[in-house]
Amino acid sequence: QALVAPQTVIQSAWFNTVPAAEYGQEVAQIIAPVAMAARQQSSALKHVATSDEEKAIIEIIALMFQSILNEDRIPAGIRIWFARLQVPVLRVALAEPAFFNDGEHPARQLIDRMGACVLGFEAAALNGTTLEAEVKRVVQVIEQYPETGSRVFQLVLKEFQKFLDKNLTEQSPKAQELVSLAQQVEQKETLAIQYTIQLRDMLLDMPVDSDIREFLFKQWSDVLAMSAIRFGAD
């Protein structure tokens, strides 16, 4: 009842405005109020939860979306649209325990697929593209059908896949722009793997702390990959 009856904090009037980084605001100014609203929303929902299990699920989903909001490699405007999925995803997680166990769950697949398409690019590269418009459309469709559970996620996942298939094969300027983005995503992932292997070889016989190793293999390899794409391998 708490999820469907009143408007939640994160669905307030300011949050329903079109989020965009091109308004001249700093990223922190765009993200901070959304992150605060998301935390307030999670706290309010935990207060009305009827069991420890529900509270735990609310907290896990909250941490998941806080992680997305704090991911600097996703443009700020896109992160705000992702954040609007917190309540729909929470509904699914509370109703369907398989959400946590099934890596193929449509809600998880949709977030992973959309995230992979926008990860690592400057906001200016995505503003005004058909990809940005499609992400917005997907989120708004999910918001319009709160009672359908994972079915709406399954539907928009198929639509998003069709969108990618269609736009990545067209020859229009916008399509070519998307192709370029997709190629950069693939190139970045390939480079990240190569750099991870090289780092492992370099540190093979060196007494390096495990936390530092993990940082180098997971975070620093991504930094190197994105730098290579933006500025060249040298």
Side-chain angles (χ1 to χ4, degrees), residues 31-67:
I31 296 298
V34 181
M36 181 178 295
R39 287 193 295 270
Q40 291 173 347
Q41 174 181 266
S42 299
S43 297
L45 290 173
K46 280 194 285 188
H47 280 306
V48 297
T50 57
S51 69
D52 290 340
E53 182 183 6
E54 286 183 349
K55 291 179 181 179
I57 292 173
I58 292 168
E59 182 64 22
I60 291 171
I61 298 301
L63 291 172
M64 171 183 168
F65 279 92
Q66 285 296 323
S67 177

PDB file of all heavy atoms in Angstrom, residues 31-67:
ATOM      1  N   ILE A  31      22.690  15.650  -9.063  1.00  0.00           N
ATOM      2  CA  ILE A  31      22.553  14.337  -8.444  1.00  0.00           C
ATOM      3  C   ILE A  31      22.178  14.417  -6.972  1.00  0.00           C
ATOM      4  O   ILE A  31      21.386  13.614  -6.478  1.00  0.00           O
ATOM      5  CB  ILE A  31      23.860  13.533  -8.615  1.00  0.00           C
ATOM      6  CG1 ILE A  31      24.117  13.259 -10.102  1.00  0.00           C
ATOM      7  CG2 ILE A  31      23.805  12.227  -7.841  1.00  0.00           C
ATOM      8  CD1 ILE A  31      23.044  12.430 -10.777  1.00  0.00           C
ATOM      9  N   ALA A  32      22.737  15.383  -6.235  1.00  0.00           N
ATOM     10  CA  ALA A  32      22.571  15.429  -4.780  1.00  0.00           C
ATOM     11  C   ALA A  32      21.106  15.415  -4.331  1.00  0.00           C
ATOM     12  O   ALA A  32      20.746  14.619  -3.455  1.00  0.00           O
ATOM     13  CB  ALA A  32      23.302  16.633  -4.209  1.00  0.00           C
ATOM     14  N   PRO A  33      20.232  16.276  -4.881  1.00  0.00           N
ATOM     15  CA  PRO A  33      18.840  16.245  -4.415  1.00  0.00           C
ATOM     16  C   PRO A  33      18.118  14.948  -4.744  1.00  0.00           C
ATOM     17  O   PRO A  33      17.267  14.502  -3.978  1.00  0.00           O
ATOM     18  CB  PRO A  33      18.196  17.441  -5.144  1.00  0.00           C
ATOM     19  CG  PRO A  33      19.090  17.734  -6.298  1.00  0.00           C
ATOM     20  CD  PRO A  33      20.464  17.367  -5.849  1.00  0.00           C
ATOM     21  N   VAL A  34      18.486  14.329  -5.855  1.00  0.00           N
ATOM     22  CA  VAL A  34      17.868  13.051  -6.226  1.00  0.00           C
ATOM     23  C   VAL A  34      18.305  11.960  -5.252  1.00  0.00           C
ATOM     24  O   VAL A  34      17.493  11.154  -4.784  1.00  0.00           O
ATOM     25  CB  VAL A  34      18.229  12.658  -7.668  1.00  0.00           C
ATOM     26  CG1 VAL A  34      17.566  11.338  -8.050  1.00  0.00           C
ATOM     27  CG2 VAL A  34      17.817  13.752  -8.639  1.00  0.00           C
ATOM     28  N   ALA A  35      19.608  11.932  -4.944  1.00  0.00           N
ATOM     29  CA  ALA A  35      20.117  10.934  -4.001  1.00  0.00           C
ATOM     30  C   ALA A  35      19.491  11.115  -2.625  1.00  0.00           C
ATOM     31  O   ALA A  35      19.134  10.131  -1.961  1.00  0.00           O
ATOM     32  CB  ALA A  35      21.641  11.046  -3.913  1.00  0.00           C
ATOM     33  N   MET A  36      19.318  12.378  -2.201  1.00  0.00           N
ATOM     34  CA  MET A  36      18.694  12.630  -0.903  1.00  0.00           C
ATOM     35  C   MET A  36      17.243  12.169  -0.898  1.00  0.00           C
ATOM     36  O   MET A  36      16.770  11.541   0.062  1.00  0.00           O
ATOM     37  CB  MET A  36      18.776  14.122  -0.559  1.00  0.00           C
ATOM     38  CG  MET A  36      18.167  14.466   0.798  1.00  0.00           C
ATOM     39  SD  MET A  36      18.332  16.225   1.187  1.00  0.00           S
ATOM     40  CE  MET A  36      20.114  16.367   1.326  1.00  0.00           C
ATOM     41  N   ALA A  37      16.517  12.458  -1.978  1.00  0.00           N
ATOM     42  CA  ALA A  37      15.121  12.039  -2.075  1.00  0.00           C
ATOM     43  C   ALA A  37      15.008  10.520  -2.052  1.00  0.00           C
ATOM     44  O   ALA A  37      14.106   9.956  -1.423  1.00  0.00           O
ATOM     45  CB  ALA A  37      14.492  12.593  -3.350  1.00  0.00           C
ATOM     46  N   ALA A  38      15.933   9.854  -2.726  1.00  0.00           N
ATOM     47  CA  ALA A  38      15.918   8.392  -2.754  1.00  0.00           C
ATOM     48  C   ALA A  38      16.155   7.825  -1.354  1.00  0.00           C
ATOM     49  O   ALA A  38      15.507   6.850  -0.951  1.00  0.00           O
ATOM     50  CB  ALA A  38      16.971   7.871  -3.728  1.00  0.00           C
ATOM     51  N   ARG A  39      17.084   8.433  -0.606  1.00  0.00           N
ATOM     52  CA  ARG A  39      17.351   7.960   0.760  1.00  0.00           C
ATOM     53  C   ARG A  39      16.149   8.202   1.667  1.00  0.00           C
ATOM     54  O   ARG A  39      15.777   7.337   2.479  1.00  0.00           O
ATOM     55  CB  ARG A  39      18.593   8.662   1.331  1.00  0.00           C
ATOM     56  CG  ARG A  39      19.906   8.174   0.725  1.00  0.00           C
ATOM     57  CD  ARG A  39      21.097   8.663   1.546  1.00  0.00           C
ATOM     58  NE  ARG A  39      21.229  10.111   1.501  1.00  0.00           N
ATOM     59  CZ  ARG A  39      21.945  10.770   0.590  1.00  0.00           C
ATOM     60  NH1 ARG A  39      22.576  10.100  -0.354  1.00  0.00           N
ATOM     61  NH2 ARG A  39      22.035  12.081   0.626  1.00  0.00           N
ATOM     62  N   GLN A  40      15.532   9.386   1.540  1.00  0.00           N
ATOM     63  CA  GLN A  40      14.354   9.697   2.346  1.00  0.00           C
ATOM     64  C   GLN A  40      13.218   8.720   2.038  1.00  0.00           C
ATOM     65  O   GLN A  40      12.505   8.262   2.939  1.00  0.00           O
ATOM     66  CB  GLN A  40      13.901  11.131   2.073  1.00  0.00           C
ATOM     67  CG  GLN A  40      14.853  12.188   2.600  1.00  0.00           C
ATOM     68  CD  GLN A  40      14.468  13.586   2.165  1.00  0.00           C
ATOM     69  OE1 GLN A  40      13.635  13.772   1.275  1.00  0.00           O
ATOM     70  NE2 GLN A  40      15.070  14.585   2.766  1.00  0.00           N
ATOM     71  N   GLN A  41      13.073   8.407   0.768  1.00  0.00           N
ATOM     72  CA  GLN A  41      12.028   7.482   0.350  1.00  0.00           C
ATOM     73  C   GLN A  41      12.256   6.101   0.959  1.00  0.00           C
ATOM     74  O   GLN A  41      11.334   5.475   1.489  1.00  0.00           O
ATOM     75  CB  GLN A  41      12.024   7.374  -1.166  1.00  0.00           C
ATOM     76  CG  GLN A  41      11.083   6.326  -1.729  1.00  0.00           C
ATOM     77  CD  GLN A  41      11.189   6.293  -3.233  1.00  0.00           C
ATOM     78  OE1 GLN A  41      10.438   6.945  -3.921  1.00  0.00           O
ATOM     79  NE2 GLN A  41      12.143   5.545  -3.741  1.00  0.00           N
ATOM     80  N   SER A  42      13.488   5.614   0.903  1.00  0.00           N
ATOM     81  CA  SER A  42      13.800   4.299   1.455  1.00  0.00           C
ATOM     82  C   SER A  42      13.558   4.262   2.956  1.00  0.00           C
ATOM     83  O   SER A  42      13.021   3.283   3.485  1.00  0.00           O
ATOM     84  CB  SER A  42      15.257   3.937   1.149  1.00  0.00           C
ATOM     85  OG  SER A  42      15.478   3.878  -0.241  1.00  0.00           O
ATOM     86  N   SER A  43      13.942   5.332   3.652  1.00  0.00           N
ATOM     87  CA  SER A  43      13.727   5.384   5.106  1.00  0.00           C
ATOM     88  C   SER A  43      12.244   5.344   5.434  1.00  0.00           C
ATOM     89  O   SER A  43      11.810   4.644   6.359  1.00  0.00           O
ATOM     90  CB  SER A  43      14.353   6.653   5.686  1.00  0.00           C
ATOM     91  OG  SER A  43      15.757   6.659   5.502  1.00  0.00           O
ATOM     92  N   ALA A  44      11.448   6.109   4.657  1.00  0.00           N
ATOM     93  CA  ALA A  44      10.002   6.133   4.904  1.00  0.00           C
ATOM     94  C   ALA A  44       9.383   4.764   4.674  1.00  0.00           C
ATOM     95  O   ALA A  44       8.514   4.324   5.435  1.00  0.00           O
ATOM     96  CB  ALA A  44       9.346   7.177   3.997  1.00  0.00           C
ATOM     97  N   LEU A  45       9.834   4.071   3.649  1.00  0.00           N
ATOM     98  CA  LEU A  45       9.285   2.751   3.349  1.00  0.00           C
ATOM     99  C   LEU A  45       9.687   1.724   4.404  1.00  0.00           C
ATOM    100  O   LEU A  45       8.907   0.841   4.759  1.00  0.00           O
ATOM    101  CB  LEU A  45       9.744   2.296   1.961  1.00  0.00           C
ATOM    102  CG  LEU A  45       9.136   3.063   0.787  1.00  0.00           C
ATOM    103  CD1 LEU A  45       9.796   2.654  -0.526  1.00  0.00           C
ATOM    104  CD2 LEU A  45       7.633   2.853   0.704  1.00  0.00           C
ATOM    105  N   LYS A  46      10.919   1.843   4.932  1.00  0.00           N
ATOM    106  CA  LYS A  46      11.355   0.903   5.970  1.00  0.00           C
ATOM    107  C   LYS A  46      10.538   1.075   7.249  1.00  0.00           C
ATOM    108  O   LYS A  46      10.301   0.115   7.977  1.00  0.00           O
ATOM    109  CB  LYS A  46      12.843   1.076   6.258  1.00  0.00           C
ATOM    110  CG  LYS A  46      13.729   0.392   5.226  1.00  0.00           C
ATOM    111  CD  LYS A  46      15.171   0.265   5.695  1.00  0.00           C
ATOM    112  CE  LYS A  46      15.879   1.587   5.633  1.00  0.00           C
ATOM    113  NZ  LYS A  46      17.336   1.450   5.915  1.00  0.00           N
ATOM    114  N   HIS A  47      10.075   2.312   7.508  1.00  0.00           N
ATOM    115  CA  HIS A  47       9.274   2.567   8.704  1.00  0.00           C
ATOM    116  C   HIS A  47       7.923   1.852   8.650  1.00  0.00           C
ATOM    117  O   HIS A  47       7.364   1.501   9.694  1.00  0.00           O
ATOM    118  CB  HIS A  47       9.057   4.074   8.893  1.00  0.00           C
ATOM    119  CG  HIS A  47      10.229   4.778   9.506  1.00  0.00           C
ATOM    120  ND1 HIS A  47      10.805   4.393  10.705  1.00  0.00           N
ATOM    121  CD2 HIS A  47      10.952   5.844   9.080  1.00  0.00           C
ATOM    122  CE1 HIS A  47      11.826   5.191  10.983  1.00  0.00           C
ATOM    123  NE2 HIS A  47      11.937   6.074  10.014  1.00  0.00           N
ATOM    124  N   VAL A  48       7.393   1.650   7.456  1.00  0.00           N
ATOM    125  CA  VAL A  48       6.086   0.991   7.341  1.00  0.00           C
ATOM    126  C   VAL A  48       6.208  -0.468   6.930  1.00  0.00           C
ATOM    127  O   VAL A  48       5.190  -1.143   6.761  1.00  0.00           O
ATOM    128  CB  VAL A  48       5.169   1.749   6.340  1.00  0.00           C
ATOM    129  CG1 VAL A  48       4.880   3.143   6.842  1.00  0.00           C
ATOM    130  CG2 VAL A  48       5.800   1.787   4.953  1.00  0.00           C
ATOM    131  N   ALA A  49       7.436  -0.951   6.767  1.00  0.00           N
ATOM    132  CA  ALA A  49       7.631  -2.362   6.433  1.00  0.00           C
ATOM    133  C   ALA A  49       7.145  -3.235   7.591  1.00  0.00           C
ATOM    134  O   ALA A  49       7.265  -2.861   8.761  1.00  0.00           O
ATOM    135  CB  ALA A  49       9.098  -2.642   6.139  1.00  0.00           C
ATOM    136  N   THR A  50       6.602  -4.388   7.261  1.00  0.00           N
ATOM    137  CA  THR A  50       5.985  -5.245   8.282  1.00  0.00           C
ATOM    138  C   THR A  50       6.888  -6.382   8.742  1.00  0.00           C
ATOM    139  O   THR A  50       6.506  -7.147   9.620  1.00  0.00           O
ATOM    140  CB  THR A  50       4.672  -5.840   7.745  1.00  0.00           C
ATOM    141  OG1 THR A  50       4.951  -6.571   6.531  1.00  0.00           O
ATOM    142  CG2 THR A  50       3.663  -4.741   7.448  1.00  0.00           C
ATOM    143  N   SER A  51       8.076  -6.531   8.158  1.00  0.00           N
ATOM    144  CA  SER A  51       8.971  -7.613   8.564  1.00  0.00           C
ATOM    145  C   SER A  51      10.419  -7.212   8.324  1.00  0.00           C
ATOM    146  O   SER A  51      10.704  -6.282   7.556  1.00  0.00           O
ATOM    147  CB  SER A  51       8.651  -8.892   7.776  1.00  0.00           C
ATOM    148  OG  SER A  51       9.014  -8.730   6.411  1.00  0.00           O
ATOM    149  N   ASP A  52      11.321  -7.918   8.986  1.00  0.00           N
ATOM    150  CA  ASP A  52      12.750  -7.670   8.781  1.00  0.00           C
ATOM    151  C   ASP A  52      13.161  -7.994   7.353  1.00  0.00           C
ATOM    152  O   ASP A  52      14.055  -7.355   6.790  1.00  0.00           O
ATOM    153  CB  ASP A  52      13.574  -8.508   9.759  1.00  0.00           C
ATOM    154  CG  ASP A  52      13.436  -8.010  11.195  1.00  0.00           C
ATOM    155  OD1 ASP A  52      13.048  -6.848  11.383  1.00  0.00           O
ATOM    156  OD2 ASP A  52      13.719  -8.799  12.114  1.00  0.00           O
ATOM    157  N   GLU A  53      12.507  -8.992   6.759  1.00  0.00           N
ATOM    158  CA  GLU A  53      12.814  -9.367   5.380  1.00  0.00           C
ATOM    159  C   GLU A  53      12.498  -8.219   4.425  1.00  0.00           C
ATOM    160  O   GLU A  53      13.290  -7.898   3.535  1.00  0.00           O
ATOM    161  CB  GLU A  53      12.025 -10.617   4.975  1.00  0.00           C
ATOM    162  CG  GLU A  53      12.326 -11.083   3.566  1.00  0.00           C
ATOM    163  CD  GLU A  53      11.494 -12.284   3.152  1.00  0.00           C
ATOM    164  OE1 GLU A  53      10.606 -12.679   3.919  1.00  0.00           O
ATOM    165  OE2 GLU A  53      11.738 -12.808   2.047  1.00  0.00           O
ATOM    166  N   GLU A  54      11.335  -7.585   4.613  1.00  0.00           N
ATOM    167  CA  GLU A  54      10.962  -6.442   3.767  1.00  0.00           C
ATOM    168  C   GLU A  54      11.958  -5.296   3.940  1.00  0.00           C
ATOM    169  O   GLU A  54      12.365  -4.657   2.965  1.00  0.00           O
ATOM    170  CB  GLU A  54       9.548  -5.974   4.110  1.00  0.00           C
ATOM    171  CG  GLU A  54       8.445  -6.890   3.618  1.00  0.00           C
ATOM    172  CD  GLU A  54       7.066  -6.351   3.928  1.00  0.00           C
ATOM    173  OE1 GLU A  54       6.968  -5.374   4.705  1.00  0.00           O
ATOM    174  OE2 GLU A  54       6.092  -6.903   3.394  1.00  0.00           O
ATOM    175  N   LYS A  55      12.348  -5.038   5.186  1.00  0.00           N
ATOM    176  CA  LYS A  55      13.314  -3.963   5.442  1.00  0.00           C
ATOM    177  C   LYS A  55      14.639  -4.248   4.748  1.00  0.00           C
ATOM    178  O   LYS A  55      15.271  -3.348   4.196  1.00  0.00           O
ATOM    179  CB  LYS A  55      13.526  -3.797   6.941  1.00  0.00           C
ATOM    180  CG  LYS A  55      12.320  -3.240   7.683  1.00  0.00           C
ATOM    181  CD  LYS A  55      12.590  -3.122   9.176  1.00  0.00           C
ATOM    182  CE  LYS A  55      11.358  -2.597   9.912  1.00  0.00           C
ATOM    183  NZ  LYS A  55      11.601  -2.498  11.379  1.00  0.00           N
ATOM    184  N   ALA A  56      15.058  -5.518   4.781  1.00  0.00           N
ATOM    185  CA  ALA A  56      16.319  -5.892   4.139  1.00  0.00           C
ATOM    186  C   ALA A  56      16.248  -5.695   2.628  1.00  0.00           C
ATOM    187  O   ALA A  56      17.194  -5.190   2.009  1.00  0.00           O
ATOM    188  CB  ALA A  56      16.656  -7.346   4.462  1.00  0.00           C
ATOM    189  N   ILE A  57      15.115  -6.076   2.020  1.00  0.00           N
ATOM    190  CA  ILE A  57      14.944  -5.912   0.576  1.00  0.00           C
ATOM    191  C   ILE A  57      14.958  -4.432   0.195  1.00  0.00           C
ATOM    192  O   ILE A  57      15.598  -4.024  -0.782  1.00  0.00           O
ATOM    193  CB  ILE A  57      13.640  -6.582   0.101  1.00  0.00           C
ATOM    194  CG1 ILE A  57      13.763  -8.109   0.234  1.00  0.00           C
ATOM    195  CG2 ILE A  57      13.309  -6.205  -1.338  1.00  0.00           C
ATOM    196  CD1 ILE A  57      12.482  -8.863  -0.049  1.00  0.00           C
ATOM    197  N   ILE A  58      14.254  -3.626   0.990  1.00  0.00           N
ATOM    198  CA  ILE A  58      14.225  -2.176   0.731  1.00  0.00           C
ATOM    199  C   ILE A  58      15.637  -1.611   0.787  1.00  0.00           C
ATOM    200  O   ILE A  58      16.039  -0.795  -0.063  1.00  0.00           O
ATOM    201  CB  ILE A  58      13.313  -1.466   1.752  1.00  0.00           C
ATOM    202  CG1 ILE A  58      11.855  -1.866   1.522  1.00  0.00           C
ATOM    203  CG2 ILE A  58      13.464   0.052   1.648  1.00  0.00           C
ATOM    204  CD1 ILE A  58      10.918  -1.447   2.634  1.00  0.00           C
ATOM    205  N   GLU A  59      16.422  -2.054   1.778  1.00  0.00           N
ATOM    206  CA  GLU A  59      17.789  -1.545   1.935  1.00  0.00           C
ATOM    207  C   GLU A  59      18.682  -1.983   0.779  1.00  0.00           C
ATOM    208  O   GLU A  59      19.480  -1.194   0.266  1.00  0.00           O
ATOM    209  CB  GLU A  59      18.365  -2.050   3.262  1.00  0.00           C
ATOM    210  CG  GLU A  59      19.774  -1.556   3.567  1.00  0.00           C
ATOM    211  CD  GLU A  59      19.857  -0.043   3.756  1.00  0.00           C
ATOM    212  OE1 GLU A  59      18.810   0.581   4.059  1.00  0.00           O
ATOM    213  OE2 GLU A  59      20.956   0.501   3.580  1.00  0.00           O
ATOM    214  N   ILE A  60      18.549  -3.235   0.350  1.00  0.00           N
ATOM    215  CA  ILE A  60      19.378  -3.738  -0.754  1.00  0.00           C
ATOM    216  C   ILE A  60      19.094  -2.965  -2.038  1.00  0.00           C
ATOM    217  O   ILE A  60      20.009  -2.551  -2.750  1.00  0.00           O
ATOM    218  CB  ILE A  60      19.133  -5.244  -0.964  1.00  0.00           C
ATOM    219  CG1 ILE A  60      19.694  -6.034   0.219  1.00  0.00           C
ATOM    220  CG2 ILE A  60      19.789  -5.725  -2.261  1.00  0.00           C
ATOM    221  CD1 ILE A  60      19.310  -7.492   0.218  1.00  0.00           C
ATOM    222  N   ILE A  61      17.805  -2.765  -2.349  1.00  0.00           N
ATOM    223  CA  ILE A  61      17.438  -2.020  -3.562  1.00  0.00           C
ATOM    224  C   ILE A  61      17.921  -0.580  -3.456  1.00  0.00           C
ATOM    225  O   ILE A  61      18.398   0.013  -4.432  1.00  0.00           O
ATOM    226  CB  ILE A  61      15.921  -2.083  -3.799  1.00  0.00           C
ATOM    227  CG1 ILE A  61      15.461  -3.530  -4.024  1.00  0.00           C
ATOM    228  CG2 ILE A  61      15.525  -1.217  -4.991  1.00  0.00           C
ATOM    229  CD1 ILE A  61      16.109  -4.220  -5.199  1.00  0.00           C
ATOM    230  N   ALA A  62      17.806   0.010  -2.252  1.00  0.00           N
ATOM    231  CA  ALA A  62      18.275   1.384  -2.057  1.00  0.00           C
ATOM    232  C   ALA A  62      19.770   1.487  -2.328  1.00  0.00           C
ATOM    233  O   ALA A  62      20.240   2.420  -2.995  1.00  0.00           O
ATOM    234  CB  ALA A  62      17.959   1.845  -0.637  1.00  0.00           C
ATOM    235  N   LEU A  63      20.542   0.523  -1.820  1.00  0.00           N
ATOM    236  CA  LEU A  63      21.991   0.522  -2.058  1.00  0.00           C
ATOM    237  C   LEU A  63      22.312   0.353  -3.529  1.00  0.00           C
ATOM    238  O   LEU A  63      23.254   0.967  -4.058  1.00  0.00           O
ATOM    239  CB  LEU A  63      22.647  -0.596  -1.237  1.00  0.00           C
ATOM    240  CG  LEU A  63      22.666  -0.396   0.285  1.00  0.00           C
ATOM    241  CD1 LEU A  63      23.152  -1.655   0.977  1.00  0.00           C
ATOM    242  CD2 LEU A  63      23.541   0.797   0.654  1.00  0.00           C
ATOM    243  N   MET A  64      21.519  -0.475  -4.205  1.00  0.00           N
ATOM    244  CA  MET A  64      21.727  -0.703  -5.641  1.00  0.00           C
ATOM    245  C   MET A  64      21.584   0.607  -6.419  1.00  0.00           C
ATOM    246  O   MET A  64      22.436   0.953  -7.251  1.00  0.00           O
ATOM    247  CB  MET A  64      20.699  -1.725  -6.129  1.00  0.00           C
ATOM    248  CG  MET A  64      20.632  -1.914  -7.621  1.00  0.00           C
ATOM    249  SD  MET A  64      19.308  -3.082  -8.047  1.00  0.00           S
ATOM    250  CE  MET A  64      19.210  -2.836  -9.823  1.00  0.00           C
ATOM    251  N   PHE A  65      20.530   1.376  -6.101  1.00  0.00           N
ATOM    252  CA  PHE A  65      20.301   2.610  -6.857  1.00  0.00           C
ATOM    253  C   PHE A  65      21.198   3.743  -6.384  1.00  0.00           C
ATOM    254  O   PHE A  65      21.523   4.644  -7.169  1.00  0.00           O
ATOM    255  CB  PHE A  65      18.817   2.987  -6.800  1.00  0.00           C
ATOM    256  CG  PHE A  65      17.996   2.206  -7.785  1.00  0.00           C
ATOM    257  CD1 PHE A  65      17.395   1.019  -7.411  1.00  0.00           C
ATOM    258  CD2 PHE A  65      17.864   2.633  -9.093  1.00  0.00           C
ATOM    259  CE1 PHE A  65      16.660   0.276  -8.323  1.00  0.00           C
ATOM    260  CE2 PHE A  65      17.134   1.898 -10.017  1.00  0.00           C
ATOM    261  CZ  PHE A  65      16.537   0.714  -9.627  1.00  0.00           C
ATOM    262  N   GLN A  66      21.630   3.732  -5.108  1.00  0.00           N
ATOM    263  CA  GLN A  66      22.628   4.709  -4.678  1.00  0.00           C
ATOM    264  C   GLN A  66      23.929   4.484  -5.442  1.00  0.00           C
ATOM    265  O   GLN A  66      24.619   5.431  -5.810  1.00  0.00           O
ATOM    266  CB  GLN A  66      22.871   4.590  -3.168  1.00  0.00           C
ATOM    267  CG  GLN A  66      21.760   5.159  -2.303  1.00  0.00           C
ATOM    268  CD  GLN A  66      21.587   6.659  -2.462  1.00  0.00           C
ATOM    269  OE1 GLN A  66      22.558   7.402  -2.613  1.00  0.00           O
ATOM    270  NE2 GLN A  66      20.352   7.118  -2.444  1.00  0.00           N
ATOM    271  N   SER A  67      24.248   3.218  -5.676  1.00  0.00           N
ATOM    272  CA  SER A  67      25.453   2.893  -6.450  1.00  0.00           C
ATOM    273  C   SER A  67      25.352   3.438  -7.865  1.00  0.00           C
ATOM    274  O   SER A  67      26.325   3.980  -8.412  1.00  0.00           O
ATOM    275  CB  SER A  67      25.655   1.375  -6.471  1.00  0.00           C
ATOM    276  OG  SER A  67      26.763   1.025  -7.273  1.00  0.00           O
TER     277      SER A  67
END
